[in-house]
Amino acid sequence: MIQTMRWFGPNDPVSLMDIRQAGCSGVVTALHQMPVGEVWTREAIRERISLIEVGNERYTSLKWLVVESLPVHEHIKKGLPARDEYIEKYKTSLRNLAAEGIKTVCYNFMPVLDWSRTDLTYTFPEGHKTLRFVWEDFALFDLYILQRPGAEADYDQQVQESGRKKLQSMSPVEIQLLTNTVLLGLPGSEEAFELANFQELLNAYAEIGDQELRENLYYFIRQVAPVAQEAGINLCIHPDDPPRALLGLPRVVSTEADLAQLMNACDIRANGITFCTGSLGVRADNDLPGIIRRLGDRIHFVHLRTTKREAEDNRNFHEAPHLNGDVDMYEVVKALHQEELRRRAAHYTDNLLPMRPDHGFQMLDDLHKKTYPGYSMIGRLKALAELRGLEMSIARSVQEY
Ligand code: DNO
């Protein structure tokens, strides 16, 4: 695989040199400063490329390999009349990226919120920190802080009760912290949603159920994927994180069946997948190596990470050491390696998959820094080192036997 890391741009406390020192050859980034839906101009793209590729010429051969993400405007997700205008803009951005030599573009189709957690500083006994999702905390936010109409239908009696009790024991600071964590905005932005108008954003989806959201996704992909294909770009959808419906909003990219249905809705290679083991692996019914074997041809980008479902309630999970969670990382990396060998034998030009170690613990010196949640350097460096060793030993043993 091609080793990459995510870089949030010039404001990221992690530098390009750090990424280079970690042994990466690729950078994953986006023009996070652009408002969602606006065209990414060739000039803006070139400026970012020059920061990565030219500005560091003396030391690095880093390349901007993957865009994560080119966000999809809410009008497209909601299927509003203005969506066609935003789809045209999306196509223009894709053509501009292709003209500047970028070939892989990640996006997601989660309504309103991107990824969701309830705790960004869950602390292990040894002192390092990770991200966690606790169903009861999410329920208490939804039921008693947001007070979403109809929320009761989504939670069993026991969770409603224990959430109510827990809320009573929380200080105003703790309540604020949970609210901020759930309402955290897009990764890479400093902004979060406001509680005051959050319900309005949800209301806009009142008429949009699972089926409608799927149709809106397929409408979008059937228009943009052929343009991407012609321009030489592979699009790759990021699965829902966590892979289940939240806050009454549908989520339609959570399972293998969802992915297969999307692949069939527009059956060309440019309509592809970001294989995020951390997101898909939260569900015990997702067979990750099997998904690679069945849909591998459409995987264009890989996020390696794992979570651990918790014993007291298996709807809760925290992010685990990369080789030691619910995902069988050995089987996953082996299946990815086999997919690369298959591509090489078939003379693909993209036989190597760009991979990034996804998230990492906040640990050691990271604990004294302000970093994007999940994206501190030392935790990701540890993850990459482990994954690199795993991949090498798999590749060598395949050659030798
Ligand atoms: C979180 C990320 C996601 C991802 C987007 C892609 O760490 O994996 O936020 O970037 O969903 O569109």
Side-chain angles (χ1 to χ4, degrees):
M1 289 181 274
I2 306 171
Q3 294 165 22
T4 73
M5 263 195 205
R6 192 173 195 179
W7 182 60
F8 286 110
N11 297 332
D12 194 330
V14 171
S15 71
L16 291 165
M17 279 296 284
D18 296 341
I19 294 176
R20 186 60 190 152
Q21 284 180 26
C24 293
S25 55
V27 171
V28 173
T29 193
L31 303 183
H32 294 285
Q33 74 278 14
M34 295 291 290
V36 174
E38 283 314 301
V39 169
W40 291 15
T41 62
R42 286 190 64 171
E43 293 67 41
I45 297 164
R46 214 174 299 136
E47 196 186 315
R48 180 55 59 90
I49 291 177
S50 68
L51 272 184
I52 297 167
E53 295 176 14
V54 186
N56 292 277
E57 203 169 40
R58 276 188 303 147
Y59 313 101
T60 82
S61 50
L62 282 177
K63 278 194 86 59
W64 181 4
L65 286 185
V66 181
V67 169
E68 179 177 353
S69 296
L70 182 58
V72 177
H73 196 275
E74 285 287 303
H75 284 9
I76 298 177
K77 296 181 197 166
K78 287 186 277 204
L80 297 180
R83 70 174 153 179
D84 291 321
E85 201 183 300
Y86 284 107
I87 288 176
E88 287 313 311
K89 290 186 178 181
Y90 204 94
K91 291 180 189 167
T92 307
S93 296
L94 289 176
R95 290 193 186 101
N96 290 347
L97 285 163
E100 297 299 335
I102 291 170
K103 294 187 159 46
T104 309
V105 175
C106 166
Y107 70 101
N108 74 73
F109 216 78
M110 289 174 256
V112 188
L113 282 177
D114 190 323
W115 59 323
S116 304
R117 297 290 184 273
T118 57
D119 186 356
L120 304 178
T121 55
Y122 176 60
T123 309
F124 289 98
E126 299 83 353
H128 52 304
K129 297 182 179 179
T130 195
L131 313 178
R132 187 177 186 214
F133 184 92
V134 175
W135 183 242
E136 179 188 76
D137 293 345
F138 198 82
L140 86 80
F141 165 80
D142 192 7
L143 289 162
Y144 309 120
I145 302 176
L146 177 64
Q147 300 178 8
R148 176 172 63 91
E152 300 75 31
D154 292 352
Y155 304 100
D156 57 51
Q157 205 57 43
Q158 201 193 332
V159 167
Q160 294 188 28
E161 263 316 300
S162 57
R164 198 193 329 266
K165 284 208 191 96
K166 185 159 181 185
L167 180 74
Q168 280 157 7
S169 71
M170 285 168 82
S171 69
V173 173
E174 287 170 326
I175 293 176
Q176 192 58 49
L177 187 62
L178 175 62
T179 306
N180 294 347
T181 303
V182 175
L183 297 184
L184 197 75
L186 291 174
S189 86
E190 301 286 337
E191 292 159 47
F193 294 105
E194 299 275 339
L195 186 61
N197 56 16
F198 190 62
Q199 186 60 50
E200 269 170 52
L201 302 176
L202 302 182
N203 291 345
Y205 279 86
E207 303 301 318
I208 302 167
D210 180 282
Q211 205 44 44
E212 289 75 16
L213 190 66
R214 277 176 210 276
E215 274 158 25
N216 295 344
L217 170 57
Y218 306 156
Y219 180 94
F220 166 73
I221 204 66
R222 285 181 181 129
Q223 295 205 46
V224 295
V227 171
Q229 180 120 329
E230 201 188 308
I233 281 191
N234 280 326
L235 283 164
C236 41
I237 195 161
H238 190 284
D240 305 326
D241 181 7
R244 58 170 82 114
L246 295 176
L247 301 170
L249 297 167
R251 288 194 156 189
V252 297
V253 193
S254 298
T255 64
E256 176 172 358
D258 292 337
L259 288 168
Q261 201 180 331
L262 170 62
M263 296 302 102
N264 291 334
C266 176
D267 201 8
I268 59 177
R269 254 193 117 225
N271 172 24
I273 298 168
T274 297
F275 191 71
C276 177
T277 58
S279 305
L280 292 167
V282 163
R283 290 179 70 123
D285 57 351
N286 277 333
D287 161 20
L288 302 192
I291 298 178
I292 300 167
R293 285 191 286 272
R294 290 181 284 275
L295 300 176
D297 196 49
R298 307 287 277 275
I299 294 175
H300 303 310
F301 181 32
V302 178
H303 287 179
L304 294 180
R305 167 169 75 80
T306 179
T307 54
K308 185 86 196 137
R309 285 179 288 278
E310 297 179 2
E312 89 244 13
D313 183 338
N314 67 10
R315 292 169 297 188
N316 300 350
F317 63 85
H318 60 264
E319 301 197 2
H322 284 63
L323 302 188
N324 199 15
D326 291 323
V327 171
D328 186 339
M329 205 53 87
Y330 170 76
E331 287 297 337
V332 164
V333 172
K334 197 163 88 179
L336 290 167
H337 184 67
Q338 279 158 349
E339 169 60 17
E340 289 187 326
L341 294 178
R342 185 192 70 80
R343 292 180 183 199
R344 196 163 72 190
H347 305 292
Y348 279 41
T349 50
D350 59 341
N351 59 319
L352 290 181
L353 285 159
M355 168 279 272
R356 66 175 183 81
D358 197 15
H359 302 177
F361 295 145
Q362 199 183 347
M363 61 190 290
L364 308 178
D365 208 35
D366 286 342
L367 291 164
H368 312 297
K369 294 183 181 156
K370 185 175 176 338
T371 52
Y372 291 101
Y375 290 93
S376 58
M377 186 61 201
I378 298 174
R380 287 187 295 159
L381 178 65
K382 170 178 176 285
L384 178 62
E386 293 174 352
L387 292 164
R388 175 189 289 145
L390 176 64
E391 187 192 11
M392 185 198 183
S393 59
I394 289 171
R396 288 286 288 268
S397 60
V398 167
Q399 277 163 21
E400 283 166 18
Y401 292 102

